[in-house]
């Protein structure tokens, strides 16, 4: 069973949609409770710094592999890999667009998924962008934020990196909705997961130099940048109101 075939992907998305509402509701309630209990900052900094060190150790193995991939893979191959996984995510983005009350964005992202799956050979080619169809990026953590769920405490997890409590629950739902993890062919599934992880790490290589040069405390730099970035994503890039901006400082 090949994930690139449009029929399989549509079937997986349909199956998840049938189960989505009860799971999303339960997770939202959990996030509300945690957000009410603790204000979003870094109350578990000791734990987080320890996990940050663990992640840095893991990255001593992952980063050279990502560098090798970045140097060895031709640009068209890297573009095709990114397009393929980005196309899968367009379908989930469309669901989150709807949950956030943005039907026009949902139509655009659903259209991108259909066009790129059919015309773009399973998403390997980004035909939709050439046709002027705008690409968005929405996940369930952003959806929870749109619903008014508070951030909750900040955490730094091995492998998946920085997350607020809200985004940790959001990541769990995003992973559950990911069609790659549902493949029955274990070797194919693991290969796709591995390729996606290395491709994602390779895409972050340019940011490594910026962080190393700018950060006296790399952990704090990444934490603050992550929180600002996520808050901007939830607002769709809109500036903070004056009162909120003052309280965030």
């Amino acid at each position: 069973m090949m994930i690139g075939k449009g029929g399989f992907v549509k079937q997986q998305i349909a199956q998840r949609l049938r189960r989505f509402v009860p799971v999303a509701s339960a997770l939202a309630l959990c996030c509300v409770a945690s957000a009410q209990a603790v204000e979003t900052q870094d109350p578990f900094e000791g734990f987080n710094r320890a996990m940050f060190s663990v992640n840095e150790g893991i990255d001593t193995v992952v980063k050279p592999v990502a560098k090798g991939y970045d140097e060895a893979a031709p640009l068209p191959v890297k573009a095709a890999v990114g397009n393929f996984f980005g196309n899968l995510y367009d379908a989930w983005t469309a669901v989150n667009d709807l949950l956030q009350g943005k039907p026009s964005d949902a139509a655009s992202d659903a259209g991108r998924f259909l066009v790129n799956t059919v015309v773009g050979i399973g998403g390997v080619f980004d035909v939709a962008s050439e046709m002027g169809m705008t690409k968005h990026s929405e996940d369930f953590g952003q959806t929870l934020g749109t619903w008014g769920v508070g951030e909750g405490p900040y955490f730094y997890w091995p492998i998946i990196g920085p997350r607020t409590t809200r985004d940790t629950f959001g990541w769990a739902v995003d992973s559950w909705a990911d069609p790659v993890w549902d493949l029955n062919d274990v070797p194919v599934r693991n290969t796709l997961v591995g390729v996606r992880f290395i491709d994602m790490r390779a895409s972050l290589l340019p940011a490594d130099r910026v962080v190393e040069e700018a950060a006296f405390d790399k952990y704090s730099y990444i934490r603050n940048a992550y929180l600002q970035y996520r808050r901007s994503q939830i607002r769709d890039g809109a500036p903070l109101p004056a009162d909120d901006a003052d309280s965030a400082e």
Side-chain angles (χ1 to χ4, degrees):
M1 186 183 301
M2 297 300 293
I3 187 66
K5 295 183 179 178
F8 171 76
V9 177
K10 293 175 194 174
Q11 181 183 16
Q12 294 299 310
I13 295 297
Q15 289 175 352
R16 282 162 178 75
L17 284 175
R18 286 194 293 269
R19 299 178 296 167
F20 179 82
V21 174
V23 173
S25 299
L27 289 175
L29 289 173
C30 291
C31 285
V32 169
S34 65
Q36 290 174 341
V38 186
E39 239 184 303
T40 300
Q41 288 301 326
D42 195 0
F44 306 111
E45 185 172 349
F47 168 83
N48 290 334
R49 285 186 179 273
M51 293 302 100
F52 180 79
S53 297
V54 169
N55 215 47
E56 291 284 276
I58 294 172
D59 200 46
T60 59
V61 177
V62 175
K63 186 174 180 178
V65 176
K67 281 184 174 180
Y69 165 79
D70 188 53
E71 293 170 1
L75 185 58
V77 171
K78 289 186 285 188
V81 171
N83 288 341
F84 173 75
F85 290 113
N87 181 59
L88 292 181
Y89 201 78
D90 280 345
W92 183 233
T93 290
V95 174
N96 282 288
D97 286 330
L98 284 176
L99 293 172
Q100 293 172 30
K102 297 185 283 193
S104 60
D105 288 356
S108 174
D109 290 312
R112 285 182 53 85
F113 172 72
L114 292 173
V115 168
N116 284 340
T117 298
V118 176
V119 183
I121 313 176
V124 171
F125 299 101
D126 189 1
V127 180
S129 290
E130 297 296 325
M131 295 171 61
M133 302 176 74
T134 303
K135 181 179 179 68
H136 306 94
S137 180
E138 303 288 347
D139 54 49
F140 195 66
Q142 289 168 259
T143 296
L144 290 174
T146 302
W147 291 350
V149 177
E151 291 176 329
Y154 172 83
F155 288 97
Y156 197 99
W157 303 110
I159 306 298
I160 69 172
R163 294 286 190 280
T164 60
T165 303
R166 178 182 64 204
D167 286 345
T168 300
F169 282 107
W171 174 83
V173 175
D174 294 336
S175 299
W176 166 81
D178 184 355
V180 174
W181 284 107
D182 236 15
L183 281 170
N184 294 323
D185 191 322
V186 176
V188 172
R189 180 194 66 199
N190 291 346
T191 298
L192 288 173
V193 169
V195 169
R196 179 170 59 185
F197 182 70
I198 294 302
D199 179 73
M200 186 180 302
R201 182 62 185 90
S203 71
L204 296 174
L205 290 173
D208 289 349
R209 182 177 300 176
V210 175
V211 174
E212 296 290 346
E213 292 177 354
F216 176 74
D217 180 356
K218 187 176 177 182
Y219 168 83
S220 296
Y221 185 93
I222 291 174
R223 177 194 59 202
N224 297 338
Y226 170 79
L227 292 173
Q228 291 176 20
Y229 173 68
R230 288 298 287 174
R231 290 164 185 168
S232 176
Q233 279 191 313
I234 290 167
R235 300 191 309 272
D236 289 331
L240 274 173
D243 293 343
D244 292 339
D246 292 339
S247 63
E249 291 177 356

